[in-house]
Amino acid sequence: MSTVPAPNTASAAEAGLSIVVPVYNEAANLPALHARLAALAAGFAAKRGLAVEIVYVDDGSRDASLAVLRGLPNDGVDLQVVSFSRNFGKEAALVAGLDHASKGAVLFMDADGQHPPDMVEHLVSLWLDDGYDVAFTAKAHRRNEPALRRLFVRTFYALLNWGARHQIPPDAGDFRLLSPRAAAALRQLPERNRFFKGLSSWIGFRQICVPYEPAERIHGVSSWSFQSLVGLSIEGLTSFSVAPLRVASVFGFAMAGGAFVFGLWIILEKLIWDIAVPGYASLMVAIIIIGGVQLIVIGVMGEYIGKILSELKARPIYFIAEREVRQAAPGARTPPGADA
């Protein structure tokens, strides 16, 4: 059994806020985003006495993102730049940001500009003024997305929440704020195959959903293809739900029941109407269907066995090639590579 400290609303602002921003090939977006976040940090310090740091996690970018991050000014805000040894994926970048956040509360947002920095003030208000531990955002609608993608998303969340004791809110995003005790609880979760949306919802505490309209990207195009979204969905399902195994079991029972009924019907046709059911074609179709179902079930089981193997290997989630810490006030500066 694990415990986390109870919140103290009177001194909540003293804990400070770490803004974690995973970065992958976002060199063109970073200067404008950083300027807006630095302005927000200055406003929080002046109005609420809330100390803010920004933690950028470069997930093995192939463009000039790391060079841009090194050159960002730290006027009025503490700044960390964490660079991976290679591309480990966004989930690993979120974990690294949580691991290196030096403040109490942690806010996660993307670097592409689609998570409006202006909403940060609202999320912080929900934490400091209303006492929420997790303030997460969700898309208000998906009307501008293709019908196939909307169907895919609905199917994914239906499977993810099927039979689950704790329901994960549909369309919830990574743009969310965790209070100090929620962040402390999330750090206690040891698994390496992580589905951040599910884990941050699973920890409980006081949570609130904030609908929002994603802004247009400032520059470039999203690096998330349909194939990568499918891969993330499989990762989320197999890491956070046993629904695929249940679907396979239901499918197997349905096939067995259908075959039993069909066999009884063949016997009745022969005994009552003296009709002999002919055909190698129907036999071959039945064999192919059964073989296909078996392969699907084996594949689903293989995904879960692969997750077990990954957890047993206990490999690190990420490796850091370079880390730089710069403080807003004149002070020590950690040279690149100190924490590699």
Side-chain angles (χ1 to χ4, degrees):
M1 181 177 66
S2 299
T3 60
V4 291
N8 185 346
T9 55
S11 59
E14 297 178 5
L17 173 68
S18 295
I19 301 177
V20 173
V21 185
V23 176
Y24 181 69
N25 295 343
E26 299 288 356
N29 295 325
L30 289 172
L33 175 66
H34 182 72
R36 297 178 70 180
L37 292 181
L40 282 173
F44 287 141
K47 298 176 183 178
R48 293 182 176 270
L50 179 67
V52 178
E53 72 164 349
I54 305 175
V55 183
Y56 292 104
V57 182
D58 180 56
D59 186 21
S61 296
R62 299 179 180 178
D63 64 356
S65 293
L66 182 56
V68 173
L69 290 173
R70 289 174 181 149
L72 291 176
N74 58 320
D75 299 335
V77 63
D78 293 342
L79 183 63
Q80 287 195 55
V81 176
V82 179
S83 176
F84 284 171
S85 61
R86 65 168 176 84
N87 177 253
F88 285 93
K90 185 179 181 182
E91 298 293 318
L94 294 171
V95 175
L98 182 64
D99 290 343
H100 289 85
S102 64
K103 307 299 183 184
V106 183
L107 183 139
F108 301 90
M109 63 185 303
D110 289 350
D112 56 12
Q114 292 191 287
H115 292 166
D118 296 341
M119 280 199 65
V120 175
E121 294 190 51
H122 182 46
L123 298 180
V124 169
S125 175
L126 290 172
W127 163 46
L128 291 179
D129 300 332
D130 299 329
Y132 285 99
D133 292 290
V134 180
F136 64 93
T137 62
K139 289 184 177 180
H141 62 81
R142 291 182 176 270
R143 291 192 295 268
N144 57 339
E145 295 182 1
L148 180 61
R149 182 165 179 171
R150 294 199 301 268
L151 176 62
F152 177 80
V153 171
R154 286 197 297 268
T155 303
F156 167 73
Y157 280 104
L159 278 174
L160 188 64
N161 289 321
W162 182 37
R165 177 177 297 179
H166 177 76
Q167 302 288 306
I168 297 176
D171 295 326
D174 295 327
F175 185 24
R176 62 183 63 210
L177 184 145
L178 304 179
S179 72
R181 68 170 180 171
L186 194 59
R187 289 188 182 100
Q188 295 182 30
L189 303 181
E191 56 256 54
R192 286 160 176 80
N193 296 287
R194 303 175 73 89
F195 183 54
F196 179 77
K197 301 173 187 177
L199 293 176
S200 58
S201 175
W202 179 86
I203 59 175
F205 302 111
R206 293 192 64 200
Q207 303 202 9
I208 186 171
C209 177
V210 182
Y212 84 110
E213 294 276 354
E216 294 294 330
R217 287 181 61 91
I218 305 173
H219 298 284
V221 296
S222 174
S223 59
W224 286 96
S225 63
F226 183 75
Q227 291 80 1
S228 59
L229 289 174
V230 171
L232 178 63
S233 300
I234 294 174
E235 182 76 23
L237 282 173
T238 54
S239 298
F240 210 81
S241 172
V242 295
L245 292 174
R246 292 173 177 169
V247 170
S249 298
V250 171
F251 200 19
F253 278 113
M255 291 289 296
F260 180 74
V261 172
F262 183 60
L264 287 179
W265 178 252
I266 291 175
I267 294 174
L268 290 175
E269 283 188 328
K270 179 62 178 176
L271 294 178
I272 298 177
W273 298 288
D274 197 25
I275 299 176
V277 179
Y280 290 100
S282 59
L283 180 62
M284 290 301 298
V285 169
I287 292 175
I288 292 172
I289 291 176
I290 294 173
V293 172
Q294 288 177 333
L295 290 176
I296 291 173
V297 174
I298 291 172
V300 171
M301 293 177 62
E303 287 287 338
Y304 282 92
I305 293 173
K307 291 293 183 297
I308 296 172
L309 177 62
S310 177
E311 294 293 332
L312 289 176
K313 288 179 179 178
R315 291 174 178 171
I317 301 174
Y318 58 85
F319 283 107
I320 296 176
E322 178 179 320
R323 178 172 175 241
E324 184 178 8
V325 179
R326 283 179 277 165
Q327 297 179 353
R333 177 185 173 110
T334 303
D339 286 11

